Amino acid sequence: MSGDLFPAVLLRREDITPEVTLFEFGPELGRTLPSFTAGSHIRVEVADGLIRSYSLNNDEAEKNRYIIAVKREENGRGGSLGMHRNLRPGARVHISSPQNFMPVVPAERYLLIAGGIGITPIISILRKLQREGHTNWHLIYLVRNHSQAAYLSELMSEELRDRVTIHASDDAGYFDFWPYVQKQAAAHLYYCGPKSMMDALYALTIHWPRSHIHYEEFSGGTLSKAGNLPFRVRRAGSDEVIEIPAEESVVEVFRRLGYKPKSSCETGTCRTCIVGLIAGKADHRDLCLSTAERSHCFAPCVSRALGEELTLEI
Ligand code: FES
């Protein structure tokens, strides 16, 4: 278990679409949960040593409960299936304190864009805006079809539906963001969704001030492994040498071998997996280590070796 996790209790689970299940956590008896702000996420130990990040869906004004929504990914990296299969109400689950990479800042107007399960941080932001009486917001919610749209009935309520655009690609195909982002007009943009949507929005808003753009990376995709070469990892302080094939990361190999490497995002952004680099030339592929740290640290979820062998504190 990662050192900064603490125990909480799963109070409730509920299927809100055929693929998405909501999980509600509360504190253990006699304890409280740290407060959070809209846009936050927590890390959850979904199985022994397997940690995943999930956005909080509920309103920041709510005390002592965290609600996350998890899409079942049959071909994912095991996190969502672990949640869906293993967690039942009453379970003791280790979670982290909330962290926020896209806090809501004061603005005249808010443009919110969600793709699929990327609705989860956006719905928390929307709930905050509603509670505080902000009415100058617009949500664009891209889904494959209406049956897979989490929170659809809430978003289609009389109170909200005038400010919500739902686009189902099965019926309507491609969505053109350009008319919505062409003029920045003092808006702040918050978005979360699959990589293709994130990349498109980044490119389409290149004329916006960067301070008006807020997003959360959605790490459901898989990293390209094309061009990877195999290498060896020597465990510091032991004679153990482990082969890392081209098609697996160091974290994946160690997990397969029965070790319990710490990991969360597995995209090189969260720092959960960082280990000491003792010897060898690393091919650093993370987005979280500083230049100085790269001389002695290594992200085994994504990084590889430039030579044949690395010695790691793992
Ligand atoms: S697991 Fe997040 S940086 Fe490696």
Side-chain angles (χ1 to χ4, degrees), residues 262-274 286 288 299-302:
K262 286 184 206 167
S263 81
S264 179
C265 67
E266 298 195 19
T267 57
T269 52
C270 75
R271 301 182 69 98
T272 302
C273 67
I274 302 303
D286 63 90
C288 59
C301 67
V302 287

